[in-house]
Amino acid sequence: MDSDSLLAVREAALDYFTRSGATARRRARTERPDADEAEGWREIAALGWPGMLAPEAAGGLALGLDGAAEILRAAGEHAAPEPLLAVAGLSALLLARLASPAASALLADLVAGRSLPALAWQESAGDLSAVPLACGCEVRSGGGVLLQGDKLMVLPGAAASGWLVSARGEEDAVLLWVPRGTGGVSETIVPLVDGSQAANLRFEEVVLPADAVLASGPAAQEALRQALAAGQILQAAELLGAGQAMLAQTLAYLRTRSQFGKAIGSFQALQHRCVDMFIHLEVARATINEVLALACDGTLPAERLEAEASRVNARCTAAALQASRAAVQLHGAIGYTQECDLSLFYKRVLCLSAWLGNATAHQRRHAALTGEAEAEAAASSAAAWNGEFLARTTDWSAVPEAEFRRMVRGFLQQRYPAHLRYLSHRARWSEIREWYLTLSAQGWIAPAWPQSHGGMGLPADKLIAWIEELEQHGVARAPDQGIVMIGPLLIQHGTPEQQQRFLPHILSGEHVWCQGYSEPNAGSDLAGLRTEAVAGRDAQGDHFVVNGQKIWTTLAQDANHIFMLVRTDKGARKQEGISFLLCDLRTPGVTVRPIHTLAGEPEFCEVFFDNVRVPADHLVGQLHGGWTIAKALLGFERIFLGSPKQSQYALGQLARLGQARRLFADPVFAQRFAALRLDVLDLSAAYTGFANIVRAGKPLPASVSLLKIWASETYHRIGALLVEAGEEQGAVAGDQVLDGQSFNVLSPLIGSTAAMIYGGTNEIQRNILARQVLDLPA
């Protein structure tokens, strides 16, 4: 569905759940757990929602998985009590995939609201397999089918009209319809914490007619796998909605609740807890959007759909659980009471997060399903490479991703210097210059720049693929402030003359840039800078004379140009007297002094300006208007710092170590690696959304700060596990050799420690999100 249609579906769903008092109905359900779960289903049927996923030919709405996800997310936002996921989701998804007349008749009854069939598939706790093992059936000699076995956690419970049962036949899987009231079926109702019910079923020599068989063989197995995976995606949407609702309730409470004479939402500790809720939920939202786009394509095989379902279910479950626990804590004592509506959402999340697989189970399944698939894809990619390198001006959106990856991989294998793979330190210009020039000659040095300015103009999906391929190959990061920061800034804010003067030299490698923002007493408080630029005029023309000092300037000793913020009006308010200048570091009066980092590398520098003359036409934007330019550049910096590059590189190092030391045989290590891998994958999903904003030429919102936080803290978690997994190697200084390649156990941990500081500390980023995005009081 297009975005306007999805918005209309969402608004209609929110309107219904609000008007019908869905949250109050959930409260009534928790107070009367023996009430009929089908109560209210008539109104749902009047909306056509039982058939939201059924084809129009069956009388359904055919909303697609993305449309249904909007209804489920709205249901989560109101803790709606109706069994939408179980009936209109799982059961409808299964029946819509079966071609038998009996299945079509059942689907028609479901769509009309006359029947609430429940899917009975699970045989043991924690099992995500769609293959029935214990529950079996056999064809009777006199005709019909004999069913024997048990199923657990079948939803809905007492409201179910009957059961769609998966069973093991004599040769393959079978799907059966067992109406309520069939002899030999015993049902144990299990009350759930959110007021709903599940049923545990026992089938003892249940005799069914031949037409009870809805499907058998591979068709039955495939339909069940596809339905369960799609249902798990819808469950993720409901979890996301519940988490978002709890965040909204918490923010409203913090804005109004007062202690010590002020709103508690002004307390930084509470603000940062809310920001963490927001970040987890936003990453979950980006993940579900990406997974829905893949699933709605309709071409995913069952195994890939299951992997994506596990990915998004694990993410949304973790986000909703984190939100529920934080929300109770931030509400204080009232959050621990039954009368607070938060309790309804808390309990609903507990139920959803336990049913259809918990987060840990989904992390394990994703790892199992994607490991072999990726190995096969890599082998296929290498074998199919034809050696053709496409031009910079190619229509990249028309190039299939697999072909694009093969091309990039082949280019790296042929052109990237082997001795520069997996460098443990930040590459110096003297080391990486030839590689920079190789990319420049191919036209690939600026993958994100528009083609009209000499870049590749990669769409977001290809840009992510580009990053992944470079990181997996161990490509070192060149001094790239010109490519990732000042270049994009000049494209948006520079004059045509400035673009013509500077952009070609960035692409060619003639100009190497560094950033001059921080000063000794103006780091996070950037507006407190004191480096001064005084306007003047002489025989050579209008100019500025700059005096002052910059610090923490990355690789300034390798750069020949710097972009910087300077104070041009000392009498103005802090943010109003600042201008943005471009300066040639070879100008007389500039002194650069390296600073050695925690890792012993001279990565940062102090830069001193002593009566340095800068031409007036090197001013970007308006005089005294540098703060506006600075904020735009900080957006570019945060999306760059929030890219998955560093985390992917560190994860690759962790995988190399794990394979070399056979650590994946350790279930604890394998589980932690699986969770971190999903953190990186879902970072890519969030990054894609912001990259699309940049590509569209729109200003980045303040919420881009969440990228920097998630990326750097994910990077740090990977670095910490790398050191732990390295055991004694985690204390070894310098490079080691692993599988014939340079390897440094400590480098990611030390690098990630800096990543949480530079570009604005993560604490400052949380302050920005709290004030500018969550609108919490100062």
Side-chain angles (χ1 to χ4, degrees):
M1 297 179 72
D2 60 54
S3 57
D4 289 341
S5 299
L6 289 174
L7 181 60
V9 169
R10 172 170 169 75
E11 289 178 344
L14 290 172
D15 178 67
Y16 168 73
F17 289 128
T18 301
R19 285 188 295 102
S20 65
T23 306
R25 287 188 285 111
R26 170 66 70 181
R27 177 172 294 284
R29 178 68 50 78
T30 61
E31 293 170 354
R32 294 186 300 113
D34 57 344
D36 184 5
E37 279 195 278
E39 184 180 330
W41 196 252
R42 181 178 300 176
E43 290 75 14
I44 295 291
L47 295 167
W49 287 354
M52 60 186 176
L53 287 160
E56 293 180 358
L61 298 178
L63 294 182
L65 206 60
D66 51 357
E70 290 297 345
I71 293 176
L72 266 297
R73 182 157 72 103
E77 290 177 61
H78 289 266
E82 289 77 25
L84 274 168
L85 177 59
V87 178
L90 286 172
S91 296
L93 282 163
L94 179 63
L95 291 171
R97 284 172 167 80
L98 304 179
S100 67
S104 298
L106 286 170
L107 181 60
D109 284 343
L110 185 159
V111 169
R114 295 188 294 267
S115 174
L116 281 77
L119 177 57
W121 66 280
Q122 192 171 6
E123 297 183 359
S124 61
D127 182 22
L128 289 181
S129 172
V131 179
L133 297 175
C135 188
C137 67
E138 60 182 50
V139 177
R140 303 178 72 211
S141 58
V145 178
L146 186 67
L147 175 64
Q148 183 82 25
D150 296 273
K151 297 290 182 180
L152 56 82
M153 281 300 287
V154 180
L155 276 72
S161 309
W163 303 280
L164 300 166
V165 181
S166 63
R168 175 176 44 80
E170 295 176 0
E171 297 182 357
D172 215 332
V174 178
L175 291 172
L176 302 163
W177 169 242
V178 182
R180 178 174 287 281
T182 300
V185 180
S186 59
E187 179 183 25
T188 302
I189 297 299
V190 180
L192 302 180
V193 69
D194 67 348
S196 58
Q197 298 174 340
N200 291 337
L201 303 174
R202 170 157 291 179
F203 304 102
E204 296 185 281
E205 297 186 354
V206 174
V207 178
L208 299 168
D211 62 2
V213 178
L214 304 177
S216 62
Q221 193 66 60
E222 180 76 5
L224 182 58
R225 291 179 68 185
Q226 293 270 354
L228 284 171
Q232 287 157 349
I233 294 172
L234 293 178
Q235 182 187 48
E238 186 171 353
L239 280 161
L240 175 62
Q244 290 174 323
M246 286 186 285
L247 174 60
Q249 292 170 40
T250 303
L251 292 173
Y253 182 77
L254 295 187
R255 293 186 192 111
T256 55
R257 170 72 168 160
S258 291
Q259 290 284 280
F260 308 107
K262 59 175 66 177
I264 63 174
S266 64
F267 302 159
Q268 187 181 72
L270 304 190
Q271 289 183 345
H272 287 193
R273 291 289 297 272
C274 282
V275 166
D276 287 341
M277 292 169 70
F278 170 75
I279 291 172
H280 279 268
L281 291 167
E282 283 299 291
V283 172
R285 185 176 64 85
T287 304
I288 200 167
N289 288 342
E290 184 169 280
V291 170
L292 282 169
L294 290 169
C296 290
D297 180 67
T299 60
L300 288 186
E303 189 169 275
R304 175 70 189 282
L305 186 65
E306 286 172 333
E308 294 298 333
S310 279
R311 172 191 166 195
V312 72
N313 202 285
R315 175 60 55 211
C316 290
T317 295
L321 285 171
Q322 191 264 2
S324 66
R325 294 161 185 164
V328 169
Q329 178 69 24
L330 294 177
H331 273 75
I334 191 66
Y336 189 63
T337 65
Q338 183 83 357
E339 68 182 77
C340 180
D341 278 351
L342 191 66
S343 66
L344 306 174
F345 293 85
Y346 182 91
K347 293 176 181 179
R348 180 60 180 156
V349 166
L350 286 178
C351 279
L352 287 171
S353 63
W355 184 43
L356 302 181
N358 61 25
T360 301
H362 280 294
Q363 288 169 355
R364 281 199 301 265
R365 184 172 78 163
H366 182 271
L369 290 173
T370 55
E372 292 183 8
E374 287 179 354
E376 291 172 4
S380 169
S381 179
W385 170 244
N386 62 16
E388 179 186 358
F389 302 138
L390 298 180
R392 175 183 68 80
T393 53
T394 297
D395 179 6
W396 299 108
S397 60
V399 179
E401 183 176 320
E403 179 182 332
F404 178 79
R405 285 181 180 272
R406 284 195 296 270
M407 180 191 66
V408 174
R409 200 170 297 162
F411 186 83
L412 296 174
Q413 290 168 353
Q414 291 185 27
R415 305 287 184 87
Y416 187 73
H419 69 280
L420 293 179
R421 294 186 69 187
Y422 303 110
L423 284 185
S424 60
H425 60 274
R426 180 72 182 271
R428 300 290 301 274
W429 180 245
S430 58
E431 296 176 284
I432 207 74
R433 178 178 177 275
E434 291 305 316
W435 169 242
Y436 189 104
L437 297 180
T438 297
L439 286 174
S440 177
Q442 182 61 34
W444 292 1
I445 191 62
W449 286 20
Q451 292 184 350
S452 58
H453 288 285
M456 294 173 74
L458 292 183
D461 60 334
K462 300 299 191 306
L463 185 59
I464 290 292
W466 169 272
I467 291 170
E468 289 176 351
E469 292 300 328
L470 267 63
E471 296 309 316
Q472 288 167 12
H473 193 75
V475 175
R477 177 186 169 191
D480 53 9
Q481 302 274 25
I483 295 295
V484 301
M485 295 183 70
I486 192 61
L489 184 88
L490 290 175
I491 288 170
Q492 283 200 5
H493 298 279
T495 65
E497 292 77 13
Q498 288 171 337
Q499 292 170 358
Q500 292 168 13
R501 178 184 302 160
F502 293 109
L503 296 182
H505 293 298
I506 295 174
L507 295 171
S508 68
E510 296 170 79
H511 287 180
V512 180
W513 288 82
C514 62
Q515 178 186 26
Y517 268 26
S518 294
E519 297 184 8
N521 291 305
S524 296
D525 182 18
L526 190 56
L529 62 88
R530 292 184 294 180
T531 295
E532 186 179 8
V534 177
R537 175 178 295 177
D538 58 20
Q540 295 176 284
D542 293 337
H543 61 271
F544 295 95
V545 175
V546 180
N547 284 279
Q549 176 189 359
K550 297 295 179 179
I551 197 169
W552 313 127
T553 307
T554 302
L555 296 181
Q557 70 271 52
D558 288 350
N560 50 34
H561 282 75
I562 186 171
F563 53 91
M564 58 181 174
L565 291 175
V566 294
R567 188 160 298 285
T568 47
D569 184 352
K570 292 198 294 186
R573 293 195 325 180
K574 285 203 317 184
Q575 296 175 350
E576 294 178 358
I578 293 172
S579 297
F580 192 98
L581 287 183
L582 310 177
C583 176
D584 189 326
L585 286 175
R586 295 162 294 193
T587 306
V590 176
T591 303
V592 177
R593 186 182 75 83
I595 301 171
H596 285 74
T597 68
L598 185 65
E601 298 291 338
E603 186 174 341
F604 301 127
C605 294
E606 290 179 288
V607 183
F608 299 91
F609 300 88
D610 185 11
N611 292 323
V612 176
R613 187 184 186 281
V614 178
D617 59 6
H618 283 37
L619 172 73
V620 180
Q622 300 296 315
L623 184 65
H624 314 318
W627 192 248
T628 299
I629 303 296
K631 288 193 295 183
L633 188 62
L634 285 171
F636 290 125
E637 181 179 41
R638 283 165 192 158
I639 192 172
F640 172 72
L641 297 177
S643 88
K645 271 188 172 186
Q646 293 175 313
S647 294
Q648 286 173 345
Y649 180 85
L651 192 70
Q653 296 288 72
L654 183 59
R656 290 173 65 210
L657 181 67
Q659 289 159 0
R661 301 194 60 191
R662 298 180 176 84
L663 295 176
F664 286 101
D666 175 2
V668 175
F669 176 85
Q671 182 69 49
R672 292 172 71 182
F673 183 89
L676 288 168
R677 186 167 177 271
L678 287 177
D679 287 344
V680 177
L681 272 176
D682 298 340
L683 166 62
S684 295
Y687 177 83
T688 298
F690 288 103
N692 281 329
I693 294 173
V694 173
R695 180 172 169 78
K698 299 177 181 177
L700 283 164
S703 56
V704 72
S705 288
L706 74 88
L707 268 187
K708 197 262 184 182
I709 296 171
W710 185 270
S712 60
E713 294 180 3
T714 297
Y715 183 26
H716 191 266
R717 289 193 297 274
I718 297 170
L721 181 55
L722 188 60
V723 170
E724 180 183 333
E727 297 182 319
E728 288 81 4
Q729 289 177 293
V732 175
D735 290 353
Q736 304 169 55
V737 176
L738 185 70
D739 295 336
Q741 294 286 341
S742 174
F743 187 82
N744 190 308
V745 173
L746 287 168
S747 179
L749 179 64
I750 293 174
S752 64
T753 301
M756 295 187 291
I757 298 171
Y758 58 60
T761 68
N762 285 10
E763 288 71 29
I764 291 296
Q765 305 300 333
R766 285 180 165 88
N767 287 348
I768 291 169
L769 291 168
R771 305 284 175 80
Q772 298 184 28
V773 178
L774 301 185
D775 195 30
L776 287 169

